[in-house]
Amino acid sequence: MQRSLYIDPQKCTGCLQCEMACSYENEQAFNPSKSRIKVFAFHEEGRFVPYTCTQCAEAWCLHACPVEAITKNPATGAMEVNEKTCVGCKVCTIACPFGTVNYNTATGKVIKCDLCQGDPACAKACPTGAITYVDSSWTGLDKMRAWAAKANTAA
Amino acid sequence: MGWNNKVLRVNLSTGSMSVEPLRMDWARDYLGQRGLATKYLVEETDPKVDPLSPDNKMIMTTGPLTGTEASTSGRYSVVTKGPLTNAIACSNSGGFFGAELKYAGWDMIIFEGRSPKPVYLSIVDDKAELLDAAEIWGKSVWETEHWVHKKHHDPLVRVATIGAGAEKGVLYAAIVNDLHRAAGRSGVGAVMGSKNLKAVVVRGTIGMNKVKDPVAFHAASEAAKKVLADNAVTGAGLPKYGTQVLMNVINEIGAMPTRNWREVQFEGASAISGEAMYEPRQSDGKPNLVRNGACFGCTIACGRISTIDPTHFSVQGEGKERYKHASGGLEYEAAWALGSDTGIDDLDALTYANFLCNEHGLDPISFGATVAAAMELYEVGALTKEQTGGIEFKFGNAEALCKAAELTGKGEGFGLELGLGSRRLCEKYGHPEFSMTVKSQEFPAYDARGIQGMGLTYATSNRGACHLRSYTVASEVLGIPVKTDPLVTDGKPELVKAFQDATAVVDSTGLCVFTTFAWTLADFQPQIQAACEGDWSMDKLNEVGERIWNLERQYNLDAGLTAADDTLPKRLLTEAAKTGPAAGRVNDLGKMMPVYYELRGWTADGKLKPETRKRLGV
């Protein structure tokens, strides 16, 4: 079964444990500035929104890459960057409509979420269940259940 | 180790900066943060120094676990000599600034001297610069953060700054980071202002990977997180109500100081409680509370994010747009000081005053308590409308509170007198007995007649009256780790000492003391042991806590404080509680103090015995 990261901003408290976990998994350091997932705090509204790559089926980044450094992992469905092939041209960072591919100045390569080979560290680290890793075919299941629970049918 | 082994020393007088390794020999004895920075201060300054002079130093410091995956790892402290108390000041803050400093590759910043003109320190990884602060001098905390983000073209910079009150000498001015997290107590912001240092702004992209044993550390932090999640207070009560979960509880047990501590129960408590923050208001159908929010790395998330009723008087008129958005809401201490202590039960007025304390960098505890003292002065006629600039300081007057917050925040008019704190204000107007302070610092929100151990806590706290030095409320009210009777004094000296020593350790880790609703030192120990080089057994930690406490004590003694300063205002010792379970009681400090001194290994006049000094190496 293919899975996707499912994000429920209402549950997010903005603690950044996901950013720490992501950076530790990928960079072997607690370093939110290198996290592939970012939590945005909309201070004046009191909202926190984690945001990362949704792994487009027709991925702009993959198609834009001139050296075919971005390939789809058939097991996870993730678009992965091959660091050895990547030339750091940043065209993918422009092509991505959502801004979730970014350039790492320290390595001269781009970084993006690769779902941690099917075991995403952010979801494991999230203390409130705001980030979960669920069946890609049923990312709406929890919302459906919540609405279904409101259906006023006699027992 | 949890350290970068890198200290930035900034001489503000000359504008020069230097980099030095962290004193790891001291870290072995004092762990980090509170303990370690106190050691630096003790070694490098004269305890008799004028706190607002260039000779005082101000240390901003992380702990070894700051910035790690451990829960609540966002903490940093500011250690200096405090202008409110003329004693050691150590204020701890959460938010995101502390971890960012660690990620920029630093453990600690030591500020010396006084800049000839307003400056701010900018740190981007290993690059540190003192920059001109002329444009932001006089600006609020909120304006300064906005300005920095624009000026640096970087929304990810973390900002710790003072407001205008601190620049003008408000003695309980705070350093506020991330808009509404504060190194709040003892006037550390006033010290920063005296140094002409407006702000410290940090961006860290290096990260932190120096934990000694990452595998053991991950396991220990995961286990400890589970303890927090499974605990009723840290897993449910605090995320839902924040510290405001306490308002009704403390009122019911008759330990809610009311109207400058004349009473111990507040009839308006439920209207300003955590529960009230969930009540939809009439005007727009929305509750005060928007949601909870976390500091960096925190899996508890007790923070409140609130809005003010848009039809409330406090937000009408020009220039009030910025208060119509969500911001840091009331926590228990602020709700008490701004509310119960002033007799004001208007939740929106308290939220507004709290926003202003954040916006301008005021300690809401000391500010609210000083307003309460002014109200008592006003009521007895010692303070008049002419002297207050027309403000009617009557208990329960919400408009007076809001006006006072505006004036004190900006350091204008009668606000400058309120900025002196309650002891100096009450002395000035001829009634020192109205000042509810220890060592000139205002009390927090627990009446020591209804919770006896807190009387000893306040009287002996090294930074003046404070609940965060030994929170015996946990035991006496909440039963953590074991229930003791709040009206009994037997066993309280032992309890206070144990809590003081343990808290000194917690404040030296980089983690938050609120974890101790669920964690004991035994939950910290495996995390510290896995992160730091050397032996960090329970025995060692207990010894380190005791050492830190005694080092702070010795600093205060050398600063000129004596056993006579280890006392409570007469009101708590002679005026009995009028209502509730503690009715008829005063605080029996006299029964506890000699036992406490003995336990501490101090003489009858409160000095460290030579053998105590020797045993702890102080």
Side-chain angles (χ1 to χ4, degrees):
Chain A
M1 176 175 62
Q2 195 166 305
R3 288 175 182 267
S4 298
L5 287 172
Y6 179 71
I7 290 167
D8 181 354
Q10 280 194 353
K11 291 182 179 166
C12 178
T13 62
C15 76
L16 308 190
Q17 281 280 349
C18 56
E19 295 194 16
M20 267 196 282
C22 177
S23 58
Y24 200 84
E25 176 76 21
N26 290 291
E27 309 282 333
Q28 292 75 51
F30 302 115
N31 189 359
S33 76
K34 298 288 190 289
S35 174
R36 280 76 168 151
I37 185 167
K38 295 303 289 178
V39 177
F40 294 88
F42 298 93
H43 179 256
E44 293 188 345
E45 300 156 45
R47 289 196 301 134
F48 303 101
V49 184
Y51 202 84
T52 189
C53 174
T54 58
Q55 317 294 350
C56 305
E58 283 292 327
W60 277 264
C61 61
L62 179 148
H63 291 303
C65 180
V67 293
E68 294 183 10
I70 299 178
T71 52
K72 182 173 184 169
N73 179 326
T76 62
M79 306 303 146
E80 297 177 351
V81 179
N82 184 335
E83 275 221 9
K84 285 188 186 133
T85 316
C86 174
V87 293
C89 74
K90 312 177 197 71
V91 170
C92 56
T93 69
I94 300 163
C96 174
F98 307 107
T100 58
V101 191
N102 285 283
Y103 181 65
N104 182 352
T105 50
T107 60
K109 313 285 179 182
V110 296
I111 55 175
K112 68 176 288 299
C113 171
D114 64 359
L115 298 175
C116 298
Q117 317 304 316
D119 189 17
C122 56
K124 281 191 286 186
C126 179
T128 63
I131 306 167
T132 49
Y133 193 49
V134 303
D135 184 347
S136 300
S137 309
W138 284 106
T139 51
L141 204 63
D142 279 349
K143 263 188 209 161
M144 285 172 75
R145 185 183 293 111
W147 283 104
K150 293 180 189 175
N152 189 18
T153 52
Chain B
M1 61 187 177
W3 296 116
N4 291 311
N5 199 14
K6 199 168 155 193
V7 175
L8 178 65
R9 188 177 291 273
V10 182
N11 186 320
L12 291 160
S13 298
T14 62
S16 64
M17 286 185 267
S18 57
V19 182
E20 58 192 70
L22 194 72
R23 287 291 300 258
M24 293 309 296
D25 51 336
W26 291 348
R28 274 192 291 276
D29 288 337
Y30 292 92
L31 187 52
Q33 202 177 352
R34 174 175 161 188
L36 184 57
T38 303
K39 178 68 174 167
Y40 270 88
L41 189 76
V42 165
E43 294 292 333
E44 295 191 8
T45 62
D46 177 355
K48 292 202 162 53
V49 70
D50 172 356
L52 298 178
S53 74
D55 291 337
N56 192 13
K57 297 191 185 185
M58 186 186 93
I59 305 175
M60 277 183 158
T61 174
T62 65
L65 303 189
T66 304
T68 68
E69 66 185 310
S71 186
T72 75
S73 68
R75 311 301 298 191
Y76 78 100
S77 287
V78 181
V79 176
T80 186
K81 186 175 181 184
L84 188 66
T85 55
N86 278 305
I88 188 90
C90 171
S91 288
N92 185 309
S93 180
F96 299 84
F97 175 85
E100 197 76 20
L101 186 60
K102 201 76 171 279
Y103 294 153
W106 304 93
D107 299 315
M108 187 184 273
I109 312 171
I110 302 172
F111 293 99
E112 308 174 341
R114 171 187 289 156
S115 172
K117 59 175 185 134
V119 290
Y120 69 104
L121 176 67
S122 165
I123 294 178
V124 181
D125 294 337
D126 47 12
K127 186 180 172 195
E129 307 173 90
L130 283 172
L131 301 172
D132 187 1
E135 280 183 52
I136 39 176
W137 198 250
K139 299 283 186 199
S140 74
V141 166
W142 294 359
E143 288 164 340
T144 299
E145 173 150 337
H146 180 71
W147 183 90
V148 168
H149 286 160
K150 228 174 137 182
K151 178 91 178 170
H152 289 239
H153 303 290
D154 187 352
L156 298 177
V157 173
R158 303 292 187 184
V159 178
T161 182
I162 54 170
E167 299 166 15
K168 294 182 180 170
V170 170
L171 291 176
Y172 45 79
I175 300 171
V176 178
N177 56 279
D178 305 293
L179 300 174
H180 55 83
R181 289 285 147 195
R185 300 228 70 189
S186 311
V188 295
V191 174
M192 188 156 157
S194 77
K195 297 193 171 306
N196 274 329
L197 177 65
K198 179 66 179 180
V200 181
V201 310
V202 184
R203 178 78 193 283
T205 71
I206 296 168
M208 208 288 247
N209 65 350
K210 301 206 172 78
V211 164
K212 182 184 72 181
D213 182 343
V215 175
F217 186 74
H218 182 70
S221 70
E222 285 293 297
K225 282 174 189 167
K226 186 166 186 316
V227 173
L228 293 177
D230 292 346
N231 180 278
V233 179
T234 52
L238 283 177
K240 175 143 195 202
Y241 294 113
T243 50
Q244 274 274 65
V245 71
L246 290 160
M247 181 63 74
N248 287 319
V249 176
I250 301 299
N251 196 46
E252 273 163 32
I253 67 153
M256 171 70 62
T258 301
R259 284 174 281 269
N260 204 33
W261 298 64
R262 293 194 308 203
E263 295 141 78
V264 298
Q265 289 182 305
F266 181 41
E267 66 285 353
S270 70
I272 60 169
S273 66
E275 290 83 347
M277 290 167 75
Y278 276 90
E279 294 292 324
R281 53 199 171 214
Q282 285 196 333
S283 64
D284 61 359
K286 291 178 182 167
N288 176 282
L289 185 74
V290 178
R291 63 158 305 130
N292 67 329
C295 293
F296 183 84
C298 178
T299 58
I300 303 171
C302 73
R304 303 291 91 185
I305 300 172
S306 286
T307 56
I308 298 167
D309 184 336
T311 64
H312 190 260
F313 76 82
S314 63
V315 294
Q316 305 313 309
E318 219 175 300
K320 298 289 185 109
E321 269 314 302
R322 63 189 181 279
Y323 308 116
K324 292 181 179 169
H325 306 296
S327 192
L330 290 167
E331 307 193 11
Y332 173 59
E333 289 297 335
W336 163 77
L338 302 169
S340 170
D341 204 24
T342 61
I344 296 168
D345 64 0
D346 178 342
L347 185 65
D348 290 295
L350 307 193
T351 305
Y352 174 75
N354 191 57
F355 277 13
L356 263 69
C357 284
N358 290 330
E359 181 189 18
H360 296 297
L362 302 178
D363 169 7
I365 301 179
S366 285
F367 167 70
T370 303
V371 169
M375 286 174 166
E376 188 159 6
L377 289 168
Y378 192 87
E379 229 179 59
V380 301
L383 185 64
T384 65
K385 207 170 161 179
E386 288 68 45
Q387 289 163 320
T388 64
I391 307 172
E392 290 194 72
F393 275 92
K394 289 182 181 158
F395 282 113
N397 185 352
E399 291 183 26
L401 173 76
C402 295
K403 189 73 191 160
E406 292 164 7
L407 291 175
T408 311
K410 293 176 184 164
E412 294 173 354
F414 187 66
L416 276 174
E417 294 197 43
L418 290 171
L420 295 170
S422 107
R423 182 183 64 80
R424 291 167 177 88
L425 184 78
C426 290
E427 278 177 1
K428 181 170 180 180
Y429 289 96
H431 287 274
E433 74 279 12
F434 290 169
S435 172
M436 294 296 113
T437 53
V438 172
K439 300 179 177 75
S440 305
Q441 176 156 286
E442 291 72 16
F443 282 114
Y446 306 90
D447 198 293
R449 290 164 289 202
I451 310 174
Q452 291 286 322
M454 290 307 283
L456 185 61
T457 285
Y458 297 149
T460 60
S461 162
N462 289 325
R463 70 167 183 178
C466 176
H467 56 299
L468 295 171
R469 285 300 175 267
S470 49
Y471 190 71
T472 60
V473 177
S475 168
E476 294 179 276
V477 180
L478 306 170
I480 301 166
V482 285
K483 183 77 175 79
T484 54
D485 185 338
L487 298 178
V488 165
T489 54
D490 285 353
K492 296 299 160 62
E494 292 81 356
L495 192 69
V496 167
K497 178 185 178 292
F499 273 52
Q500 284 173 339
D501 292 349
T503 305
V505 174
V506 173
D507 287 344
S508 300
T509 58
L511 307 186
C512 178
V513 74
F514 284 11
T515 56
T516 60
F517 284 111
W519 290 355
T520 66
L521 268 194
D523 296 286
F524 287 89
Q525 188 274 332
Q527 301 184 79
I528 300 167
Q529 182 66 66
C532 302
E533 302 290 335
D535 159 45
W536 295 99
S537 64
M538 286 297 290
D539 284 348
K540 168 85 184 283
L541 290 174
N542 284 317
E543 183 192 295
V544 165
E546 193 178 1
R547 180 178 296 123
I548 293 167
W549 190 264
N550 278 276
L551 185 72
E552 292 174 342
R553 174 73 178 186
Q554 188 59 51
Y555 179 90
N556 283 352
L557 293 171
D558 292 341
L561 275 71
T562 68
D565 296 298
D566 296 341
T567 189
L568 298 171
K570 221 171 91 190
R571 179 163 285 170
L572 294 183
L573 300 172
T574 61
E575 294 177 25
K578 292 172 189 156
T579 62
R585 290 294 302 271
V586 294
N587 185 270
D588 293 320
L589 185 65
K591 287 185 190 165
M592 297 184 278
M593 193 62 82
V595 184
Y596 173 83
Y597 277 7
E598 187 62 36
L599 276 172
R600 277 276 171 222
W602 298 349
T603 61
D605 58 354
K607 292 177 181 156
L608 280 69
K609 289 179 183 168
E611 57 265 34
T612 305
R613 201 186 303 277
K614 192 175 168 205
R615 179 169 62 84
L616 296 169
V618 170

